[in-house]
């Protein structure tokens, strides 16, 4: 019995000492050294960026030696402007802004390097609820689509067309009017 107890105490002591060696010293080292500051410009605050917000608030970037300054630019065009002017180091936006800048022939253009979200972050909402929604319900209606040429608006148009709807402004013909002139 004494041998078993001695073996158990030795095992617990060994594991405890091993676990102490597994702790990260990065946090304590980064507290004393200067952090690299990065300004990240985002198009909008969105639930789809929740992992980023969690990483910032939980100090994960600081643990890696990075200080994040998060700014909201309210649009891909403004995010791209912040990126190109040097106001931001990283811009979180759809790819359309990069395409527009590149197609204008500018030598200073952004390079898309990551996929932040994997699905479109848009929601189709109505003034009144419906237990049995169908895209057919949108015939002859007006839908606010977002900024013309923006990824959310283009995705909405794609989904409407894929579901057999005709885009236009003639409600009598059952067309769906996608408005892009609302701020």
């Amino acid at each position: 019995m004494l041998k078993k107890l001695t073996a158990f105490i030795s095992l617990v002591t060994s594991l405890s000492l091993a676990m102490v060696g597994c702790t990260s010293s990065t946090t304590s080292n980064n507290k004393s050294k200067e952090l690299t500051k990065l300004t990240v410009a985002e198009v909008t605050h969105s639930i789809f960026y929740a992992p980023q917000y969690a990483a910032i608030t939980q100090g994960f970037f600081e643990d890696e030696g990075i200080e994040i300054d998060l700014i909201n630019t309210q649009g891909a065009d403004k995010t791209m402007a912040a990126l190109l002017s040097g106001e931001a180091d990283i811009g979180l936006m759809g790819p359309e802004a990069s395409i527009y800048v590149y197609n204008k022939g500018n030598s200073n253009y952004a390079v898309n390097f990551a996929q932040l979200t994997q699905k479109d972050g848009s929601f189709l909402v109505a003034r009144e609820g419906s237990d049995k929604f169908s895209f057919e319900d949108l015939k002859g209606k007006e839908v606010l689509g977002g900024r013309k040429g923006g990824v959310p608006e283009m995705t909405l148009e794609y989904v409407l067309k894929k579901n057999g709807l005709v885009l236009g402004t003639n409600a009598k013909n059952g067309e769906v009017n996608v408005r892009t002139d609302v701020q």
Side-chain angles (χ1 to χ4, degrees):
M1 176 73 173
L2 184 60
K3 285 185 180 182
K4 288 182 182 179
L5 182 62
T6 304
F8 177 73
I9 292 172
S10 296
L11 179 65
V12 170
T13 304
S14 298
L15 287 175
S16 298
L17 291 173
M19 295 305 274
V20 170
C22 293
T23 61
S24 173
S25 61
T26 308
T27 305
S28 61
N29 288 344
N30 282 339
K31 298 284 185 207
S32 62
K33 74 176 190 182
E34 193 171 315
L35 300 175
T36 301
K37 185 174 181 179
L38 290 177
T39 300
V40 177
E42 63 179 0
V43 174
T44 186
H45 291 307
S46 170
I47 189 67
F48 294 97
Y49 300 156
Q52 169 190 251
Y53 304 143
I56 291 170
T57 60
Q58 296 301 308
F60 298 151
F61 288 106
E62 288 180 1
D63 288 350
E64 298 301 320
I66 302 168
E67 178 185 346
I68 298 292
D69 179 25
L70 184 64
I71 61 173
N72 185 304
T73 55
Q74 300 180 359
D77 54 340
K78 294 173 187 76
T79 302
M80 180 58 71
L83 190 62
L84 294 177
S85 71
E87 181 184 350
D89 301 301
I90 297 171
L92 304 179
M93 66 193 122
E96 76 279 8
S98 298
I99 294 167
Y100 296 146
V101 170
Y102 181 81
N103 283 343
K104 285 186 177 181
N106 293 352
S107 60
N108 183 21
Y109 57 88
V111 176
N112 295 351
F113 68 90
Q115 182 176 342
L116 184 62
T117 57
Q118 199 168 30
K119 303 286 183 186
D120 177 57
S122 300
F123 300 93
L124 186 60
V125 295
R127 288 188 180 105
E128 297 176 17
S130 171
D131 292 334
K132 296 183 180 183
F133 171 78
S134 166
F135 279 95
E136 293 289 315
D137 298 341
L138 297 176
K139 283 186 173 181
K141 304 285 188 198
E142 185 173 80
V143 180
L144 303 179
R147 184 177 58 81
K148 185 163 184 61
V151 169
E153 187 267 336
M154 291 188 290
T155 303
L156 173 64
E157 287 188 7
Y158 169 79
V159 169
L160 294 175
K161 290 176 184 176
K162 186 171 176 112
N163 283 280
L165 299 172
V166 177
L167 305 183
T169 58
N170 191 341
K172 291 179 185 177
N173 288 342
E175 294 177 346
V176 178
N177 181 12
V178 178
R179 294 214 19 219
T180 59
D181 59 343
V182 179
Q183 296 284 334

